[in-house]
Amino acid sequence: MTRVRIWVVGAGVVGQWLLRALHSGSETFERYGFAPVVVGVANARDGFVYRSDGLDIPTLLELAAGGRSLADHPGAHHWPSALEGLAATEADLLVEVSSSPGTDGEPGFAHMREALRRQVPVATSNKWPVALHGLELAGIARSNGVAFRAESTVMSGTPVLAALVEGLAGTRPIELRGVLNATANFILSAMAAGASYEDAVADAQETGLAERVVDADVEGHDAMAKLMILAALVFGTQLMAERVERQGITGVTAADIEQAASEGRRVRHVGTLGFSGADATGELTARVEPMALPLDDPLAGVEGATNAIVCRAEPVGEVTIAGPGAGLALAGQGVLSDLIAIAREHARVRS
């Protein structure tokens, strides 16, 4: 059984879910031909801890649950920051599940760049580093012959990036449209069923779908980041935020919903990538906005916390991918599937 040494940067809710999955899934990993060994873990508060023969996952989880420092792990070496620890230690795979802001995507971008430059493949759920630097990260990975996978950054556990990047390899993407934010879609679905905007937001928060502050979801920042990721990884074009026309759903009223319904339409928050010229020529354009879609549009039937993407590529035509777009387990599962794909390849090469 091939031993795969893993760094996990980010020990929040997704990181802890992933650690539990790595600890409990030995039979699953045996089926894929490898044994995961977590040798390094980091968070923003405690820095980076490392033990070459593997850290004890139950101990890490117990420390996190008790609010104690990861540095209290017996026999572990400690560095003040994740970047210092990554530079000083060895692993076969980086899992980057921390959170970095949309201003510059740091420190997540630096973590991924450090690993890729050292020919260590990366799996990540960290959205903004990929939105802002996805094309560069993919390029560094390609030039160093290692994988860079970011499935969870777009539709959580629903495998959309693998389908569009690998499944449609060799095609030419022409246009992409998507319902990319589960919270916004939940709110619009509830409003269509008669709820007020305020009650719909409260319901989303009560169910755990939305955070206490919902601005990133309802103002379109989250959907914009996902559109930027798709532009970089599917269309091969790096977009900055100022190149994305963004309109949230806060201005959508009950009257708008009713008017759309009377016309046989349904309001959805839609992200679109296309080209400024005919026949997919010119610059790549991007926008996120509420749209009243005809009922026969695949995106019109996407309800609740479901997300969907419709991609038109030549010579295939339109491909629609739909599935759940939010949730702790789903985000963790997306990273886990990327981890397994990378580890299987590592095991194959080593065998």
Side-chain angles (χ1 to χ4, degrees):
M1 189 69 60
T2 301
R3 183 174 179 265
V4 177
R5 301 167 299 168
I6 301 170
W7 290 316
V8 178
V9 174
V13 289
V14 175
Q16 290 180 42
W17 184 96
L18 187 65
L19 288 171
R20 285 191 289 270
L22 291 172
H23 181 64
S24 63
S26 57
E27 291 184 6
T28 298
F29 303 125
E30 285 178 12
R31 178 157 53 96
Y32 291 119
F34 72 95
V37 181
V38 177
V39 294
V41 174
N43 64 18
R45 186 192 68 182
D46 304 328
F48 184 94
V49 295
Y50 178 85
R51 196 168 72 177
S52 61
D53 59 349
L55 296 162
D56 183 69
I57 292 178
T59 298
L60 291 170
L61 294 171
E62 183 179 344
L63 290 171
R68 295 171 59 195
S69 173
L70 298 177
D72 291 339
H73 186 292
H77 298 280
H78 176 254
W79 287 264
S81 71
L83 192 58
E84 291 171 277
L86 295 175
T89 61
E90 300 288 337
D92 303 308
L93 165 63
L94 167 64
V95 175
E96 221 293 354
V97 289
S98 67
S99 178
S100 301
T103 50
D104 57 7
E106 292 291 11
F109 173 53
H111 299 156
M112 297 181 216
R113 182 176 55 191
E114 168 71 19
L116 293 171
R117 285 178 172 174
R118 293 180 55 194
Q119 298 183 306
V120 177
V122 170
T124 186
S125 64
N126 198 343
K127 192 181 292 100
W128 277 108
V130 188
L132 295 168
H133 307 286
L135 196 62
E136 180 181 351
L137 290 167
I140 297 171
R142 189 165 49 251
S143 65
N144 284 284
V146 295
F148 171 65
R149 302 181 71 97
E151 195 63 73
S152 277
T153 61
V154 178
M155 281 172 53
S156 280
T158 300
V160 62
L161 285 175
L164 297 181
V165 175
E166 299 168 15
L168 293 180
T171 66
R172 185 166 65 105
I174 304 298
E175 183 187 46
L176 182 148
R177 301 182 302 121
V179 171
L180 301 173
N181 184 271
T183 299
N185 201 57
F186 178 93
I187 292 168
L188 292 174
S189 298
M191 290 176 69
S196 68
Y197 172 82
E198 292 76 15
D199 286 345
V201 170
D203 286 347
Q205 292 169 324
E206 186 175 339
T207 60
L209 179 62
E211 302 288 343
R212 184 178 61 83
V213 179
V214 297
D215 292 2
D217 297 318
V218 300
E219 296 289 356
H221 296 284
D222 176 76
M224 178 178 69
K226 293 171 180 176
L227 206 61
M228 292 163 65
I229 293 167
L230 290 162
L233 301 185
V234 178
F235 285 76
T237 299
Q238 186 65 63
L239 295 177
M240 291 297 100
E242 56 268 21
R243 284 189 55 190
V244 183
E245 296 182 23
R246 176 182 54 83
Q247 182 182 349
I249 65 167
T250 54
V252 177
T253 65
D256 295 328
I257 301 284
E258 292 170 6
Q259 177 67 28
S262 71
E263 297 172 354
R265 294 175 176 268
R266 190 169 287 135
V267 177
R268 290 290 176 260
H269 197 220
V270 180
T272 304
L273 290 171
F275 291 93
S276 58
D279 300 321
T281 60
E283 290 189 346
L284 187 68
T285 63
R287 63 184 185 275
V288 179
E289 60 190 339
M291 299 178 68
L293 303 175
L295 297 182
D296 61 355
D297 188 304
L299 299 181
V302 177
E303 296 285 351
T306 301
N307 283 176
I309 282 177
V310 179
C311 183
R312 183 159 59 92
E314 297 297 342
V316 175
E318 282 197 351
V319 174
T320 301
I321 302 167
L328 169 60
L330 293 173
Q333 175 57 43
V335 180
L336 182 61
S337 68
D338 281 345
L339 182 156
I340 290 171
I342 294 170
R344 289 179 75 181
E345 178 61 17
H346 177 81
R348 185 190 68 79
V349 171
R350 293 284 296 274
S351 63

